[in-house]
Amino acid sequence: MTSTRQITIFDTTLRDGEQSPGCSMNLSEKLELAQALVDMGVDIIEAGFPIASPGDFEAVSEIALTMHGATICGLARCSDKDIDRAWEALKHAEKSRIHVFLATSAIHREFKLKMTREEIIRRAVDGVRRAVEYCDDVEFSPEDAARTEHDFLCEVVEAAIEAGATTVNIPDTVGYATPDQMGATIKMLSNRVPNIDKAVISVHCHNDLGLAVANSLAAIENGAGQIECTINGIGERAGNCSLEEVVMALKTRADVYNCETNINTPRLVPLSRLLSSITGLQVQRNKAIVGRNAFAHEAGIHQDGMLKERTTYEIMRPEDVGLAKTDLVLGKHSGRAALGDRARELGYHLSGEQLQEVFVEFKKLADKKKDMYDGDIHALIQQEILGEVENTWQLVRFQVRSASGETPCCEITLSKDGEEFTQEVTDGDGPVDAAFWAVEKITGLEITCKNYRVRSATLGRDAIGEVLVEIEHNDKSYRGRGASTDTVESTIHAILDAVNRIVAQRTA
Ligand code: KIV
Ligand code: ZN
């Protein structure tokens, strides 16, 4: 009997995931997510691309400084400046990894890099050698490897390992590979690269054809020891291999794959929901493992089967992915400790002061709303702790009047640095439009609304209404979130959250 292989889970939610539209996060959100990834047992966290922006650098540095247990990785192109900057951000980590990449496919060589094969090998070797001077854990990725000629791919991989790479990652950058091809490529590298035993083979599959998880599993079957993936499968274009899907496939079909991971699977659903609350991007209802319908049985014949024997229609237990039977948790009489416990369960790490802030709002909400669900707790924490950046502009009070056939009127008072500013607007095609006008007039910022969504955080008529806005200012897009049982108030909070992100970026 063959022994079970341990697969390394490399999470790139904070790098490949975060760089995709609608997924950007601020520092506190990234720290919250990184801690939840550590708690779930992820082996390696790719925390960002330090040279890409001061924000990325700061996030990688903070994560490196504060996280314990996982290896923290930073991305760099094969250039001295990138690698030096990556190390600068990573140097305080308990365990760190530098990930250097360079494209190798003919199409990238000819049109993007305008480099010969020899130049590519030289640049890759120089990059790996520089990274090795700083850190003994170095990963090299030949970008677009899945479309690279096999002979050349073998040459690059051999040279990178010879230069000191301890992991070679084979990306399917454009999601073009099929499972058979991906498996064959990994097998080919294992058979043909003479020093392959000195490195771990990893794969990084994009999901353009919906094959990222299947391709990653095919790679594992053919010897890959590391999978790069993201929570909810977020990432460039159609996203990356979804962490929850690949991990549960390995666990549920251990009979086929004979592999295991360090992931504490009951943390999967809470982490998926944490990411959705942070980014505002909800997963589709029928998404495998973490979608709302993933364990719902609607058809009568299925329900009947389930009642007789669960395994007739269920291949995984909901509790194994962290799906509680009910999410009704707290009420008016619940104390701060109960709220703290539930927040921790949902993946948040609140300081005593933060818990107190959330508790005050929790009590106010409990007066208006009898039953508190997980969605309410998420919304409160997002609103009080994570949602707003530096609260430069704050809502003091507002009033709206809206009636059939009449132009809406919105009066808003905001405060900034202790001074109050009031604006009344009788304009727009509804109270939301009027609120946008009023905030624009007070703050003097020109903003265009690109997206506006309201969703109910939980069940029932008294549910919190969560508003997510995407606004554009000077050709840049900013996200904002607001939550309240009053939707106009949620709207104003969401606009202010986005406005405060603009102000924070201007002053950074
Ligand atoms: O998709 C890709 O090729 C990447 C590399 C940087 C690994 O994200
Ligand atoms: Zn990628």
Side-chain angles (χ1 to χ4, degrees), residues 156-459:
V156 180
V157 165
E158 184 181 349
I161 297 174
E162 182 60 34
T166 44
T167 299
V168 282
N169 176 46
I170 306 302
D172 179 17
T173 303
V174 291
Y176 184 68
T178 63
D180 281 354
Q181 278 176 346
M182 203 68 200
T185 303
I186 302 305
K187 189 178 238 160
M188 182 280 299
L189 288 169
S190 308
N191 291 336
R192 289 183 49 191
V193 175
N195 55 2
I196 199 74
D197 58 316
K198 303 214 162 49
V200 172
I201 304 182
S202 163
V203 282
H204 174 110
C205 297
H206 278 272
N207 203 31
D208 299 67
L209 293 173
L211 293 172
V213 173
N215 288 345
S216 304
L217 292 169
I220 288 180
E221 283 186 291
N222 285 280
Q226 174 179 290
I227 295 299
E228 301 202 354
C229 44
T230 59
I231 302 296
N232 295 344
I234 65 168
E236 279 286 351
R237 305 178 310 280
N240 288 69
C241 169
S242 136
L243 183 148
E244 52 281 3
E245 292 179 21
V246 80
V247 164
M248 286 314 288
L250 291 176
K251 183 174 168 127
T252 310
R253 298 312 310 271
D255 58 325
V256 173
Y257 298 108
N258 202 20
C259 291
E260 58 188 18
T261 69
N262 282 329
I263 300 297
N264 177 16
T265 61
R267 300 304 309 156
L268 288 171
V269 167
L271 222 156
S272 159
R273 299 207 170 148
L274 175 68
L275 179 66
S276 290
S277 317
I278 290 176
T279 60
L281 281 186
Q282 300 299 311
V283 298
Q284 79 214 43
R285 282 181 86 119
N286 62 335
K287 165 122 172 44
I289 319 296
V290 294
R292 270 175 66 192
N293 287 2
F295 290 87
H297 300 274
E298 191 65 27
I301 198 164
H302 287 206
Q303 289 176 350
D304 181 54
M306 283 285 294
L307 289 173
K308 288 177 175 145
E309 167 56 40
R310 186 189 63 80
T311 54
T312 48
Y313 286 102
E314 217 164 64
I315 59 164
M316 295 168 272
R317 293 183 312 163
E319 50 274 34
D320 287 345
V321 301
L323 209 62
K325 283 204 170 43
T326 165
D327 69 355
L328 171 60
V329 279
L330 302 170
K332 197 177 166 131
H333 303 294
S334 306
R336 197 176 25 224
L339 177 66
D341 279 350
R342 196 60 203 154
R344 247 187 317 281
E345 269 295 295
L346 295 174
Y348 296 98
H349 289 75
L350 305 181
S351 66
E353 204 181 312
Q354 288 175 324
L355 178 58
Q356 180 56 26
E357 269 178 60
V358 177
F359 187 61
V360 169
E361 294 307 312
F362 169 83
K363 281 288 177 193
K364 283 190 208 158
L365 186 63
D367 277 339
K368 294 192 216 163
K369 189 176 181 325
K370 197 165 124 268
D371 298 328
M372 303 285 256
Y373 297 85
D374 287 348
D376 294 312
I377 313 291
H378 272 301
L380 276 181
I381 296 176
Q382 296 296 322
Q383 176 74 14
E384 292 309 308
I385 308 297
L386 298 173
E388 293 176 19
V389 276
E390 182 75 24
N391 268 344
T392 311
W393 289 101
Q394 295 187 43
L395 175 63
V396 179
R397 62 188 163 270
F398 76 97
Q399 228 187 84
V400 280
R401 205 177 52 247
S402 167
S404 336
E406 272 184 31
T407 308
C409 175
C410 178
E411 186 186 286
I412 294 185
T413 302
L414 302 182
S415 72
K416 184 186 173 198
D417 301 330
E419 201 181 334
E420 291 195 0
F421 305 82
T422 300
Q423 181 74 49
E424 188 187 292
V425 167
T426 307
D427 201 349
D429 61 6
V432 168
D433 196 14
F436 267 99
W437 280 114
V439 172
E440 215 174 13
K441 286 202 162 128
I442 297 177
T443 61
L445 291 171
E446 235 176 77
I447 51 177
T448 314
C449 178
K450 288 296 193 188
N451 202 346
Y452 175 89
R453 275 182 294 149
V454 192
R455 69 174 198 105
S456 140
T458 54
L459 309 168

